[in-house]
């Protein structure tokens, strides 16, 4: 059982910890009494359930007065309880905790989403080779099984941690929070989070990322954005990958792009290939610009706060 | 696929409510599902039955309340209601629309004992 929060459940394990780290939705719901016992450099970012606002005092509307009143006293009565809560509210609270943690460290966190084999890890490996020495990077790898991808990342000299989701088909914010604790991060760095290869499920789970990057390889066909709109919809950047293969395919890349624009009108689209390096400079420029923008914004916020405190002296 | 983990979250919310409200059995659960929430209702029903086993919601009836989807149209700059995610804008026939409502899945209320 996890000493951080006592969570237990069916599935996810984070490598590198001294304990296997099982996670699960329902079981995790209760029984958080902290004191977190981790000796990690970071405060636990999680906002646990009891710290969340809950519906006004557990507002209860009693619709059930009618027939149930006829029951003999002592017999249980059915009643209606109004809840009005987003089912993903727990994930969203963890995501908010992660986001606050990332902001404190000036960390640009990217959630990379795509179907299996779209080229996420290969893109990361090439990206990390270029950024090496310049910007401190770290990687969280999400897969159902194996630590292959984290091994590939570590081979570049970049710290990486593998999260195996077991049956789970996506990363959630809670897993990412723990992974970050185990990984440790560098101030002003970039955290790449490679989600489980899946065009459907990861879309619904906010991880606390600053930006969402969705990859689609040109081999997957023109219609994928229309078939799986959710994964594109919230993307800030869509990378059309493996463009070196275009001469061998009869895919119409203009149609593909038009379909992406249709479901993600605001996303930037780049054509990239890790084989002939097409689009890699633009991708790296985008990363740099996002990081700079984030650091500037955070610095401006900190400055504004400092000014406010000075003024109050 | 992720309907399973949505159901786990749902059970989590139900169990928390049970502690707060002091009930021990749930007989009916009403969930609002946005048109664009990416939820397959039959998969969710199946997932709920499986995940609820052995919990206080075992055997509870799961009802869905459909919430219409809405989207922001980039062409005419209006928020419009959409039947399907890929429908054109009903006002200007534009095709670049960003969903803005109907993306949530909410536990609305429950019948409990
Ligand atoms: N031709 C070509 N092949 C590529 C490119 N990028 C990746 N590949 C190949 O595509 C295959 C899958 O690449 P990965 O990087 O493992 O893909 P992934 O998205 O990380 O896969 P999962 O994590 O398993 O979902 C490998 O055989 C890569 O060599 C590219 O730009 N061009
Ligand atoms: Mg990979
Ligand atoms: Zn799934
Ligand atoms: Zn319109």
């Amino acid at each position: 059982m996890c000493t951080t929060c006592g969570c237990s459940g069916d599935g996810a394990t984070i490598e590198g910890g001294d304990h296997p780290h099982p996670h699960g939705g329902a079981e995790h719901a209760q029984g958080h009494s902290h004191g977190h016992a981790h000796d990690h450099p970071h405060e636990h970012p999680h906002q646990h359930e009891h710290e969340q606002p809950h519906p006004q005092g557990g507002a209860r509307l009693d619709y059930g007065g009618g027939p149930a009143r006829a029951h003999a006293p002592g017999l249980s009565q059915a009643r209606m309880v109004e809840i009005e809560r987003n089912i993903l509210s727990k994930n969203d609270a963890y995501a908010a905790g992660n986001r606050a943690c990332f902001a404190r460290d000036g960390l640009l966190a990217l959630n990379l989403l795509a179907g299996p084999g779209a080229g996420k890890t290969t893109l990361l490996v090439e990206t990390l080779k270029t950024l090496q020495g310049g910007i401190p990077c770290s990687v969280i790898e999400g897969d159902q099984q194996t630590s292959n991808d984290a091994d590939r990342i570590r081979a570049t000299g970049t710290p990486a941690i593998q999260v195996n989701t077991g049956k789970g088909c996506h990363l959630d914010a809670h897993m990412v929070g723990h992974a970050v604790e185990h990984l440790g991060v560098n101030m002003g760095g970039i955290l790449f989070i490679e989600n489980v290869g899946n065009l459907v499920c990861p879309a619904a789970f906010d991880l606390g990322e600053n930006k969402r990057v969705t990859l689609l390889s040109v081999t997957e066909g023109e219609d994928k954005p229309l078939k799986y709109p959710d994964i594109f919809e919230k993307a800030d950047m869509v990378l059309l990958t493996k463009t070196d293969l275009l001469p061998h395919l009869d895919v119409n890349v203009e149609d593909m792009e038009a379909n992406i624009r249709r479901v993600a009108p605001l996303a930037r689209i780049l054509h990239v290939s890790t084989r002939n390096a097409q689009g890699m400079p633009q991708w790296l420029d985008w990363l740099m610009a996002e990081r700079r923008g984030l650091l500037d914004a955070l610095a401006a916020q900190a400055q504004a706060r400092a000014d406010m405190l000075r003024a109050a002296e | 696929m992720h309907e399973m983990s949505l159901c786990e979250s749902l059970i989590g919310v139900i169990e928390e409510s049970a502690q707060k409200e002091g009930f021990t059995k749930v007989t009916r659960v009403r969930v609002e599902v946005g048109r664009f929430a990416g939820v397959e209702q039959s998969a969710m029903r199946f997932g709920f039955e499986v995940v609820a086993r052995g919990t206080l919601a075992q055997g509870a009836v799961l009802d869905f309340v459909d919430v219409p989807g809405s989207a922001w149209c980039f062409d005419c700059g209006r928020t419009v209601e959409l039947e399907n995610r890929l429908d054109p804008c009903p006002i200007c026939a534009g095709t670049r629309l960003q969903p803005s409502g109907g993306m949530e899945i909410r536990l609305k209320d429950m019948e409990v004992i």
Side-chain angles (χ1 to χ4, degrees), chain A residues 80 87, chain B residues 7 10 14 26-34 39-42 44-46 48-49 57 59-67 104-112:
Chain A
M80 292 297 292
I87 291 182
Chain B
C7 288
L10 174 58
I14 291 175
V26 180
T27 50
R28 189 175 284 272
V29 177
R30 265 208 307 180
V31 174
E32 281 183 348
V33 178
V39 169
E40 180 60 58
Q41 293 192 1
S42 59
M44 184 116 178
R45 217 178 271 291
F46 171 77
F48 184 74
E49 205 191 302
V61 178
L62 182 60
D63 287 330
F64 293 111
V65 181
D66 290 309
V67 176
E104 274 199 355
I105 318 150
R106 292 175 70 79
L107 171 55
K108 193 168 168 46
D109 51 29
M110 300 183 281
E111 186 184 81
V112 303

Side-chain angles (χ1 to χ4, degrees), chain A residues 185-242:
Chain A
V185 290
N186 288 306
M187 198 82 179
I190 303 179
L191 172 66
F192 297 94
I193 307 169
E194 179 180 336
N195 220 310
V196 178
N198 178 338
L199 276 174
V200 183
C201 312
F205 296 84
D206 182 9
L207 304 180
E209 70 268 14
N210 299 94
K211 296 285 163 182
R212 245 178 212 216
V213 180
T214 299
L215 285 73
L216 179 66
S217 79
V218 293
T219 56
E220 291 175 82
E222 295 92 341
D223 58 354
K224 290 301 170 292
L226 303 184
K227 286 182 174 168
Y228 304 100
D230 298 351
I231 203 107
F232 294 92
E233 191 170 286
K234 289 189 222 123
D236 299 285
M237 167 68 92
V238 177
L239 298 176
L240 267 178
T241 61
K242 309 192 190 180

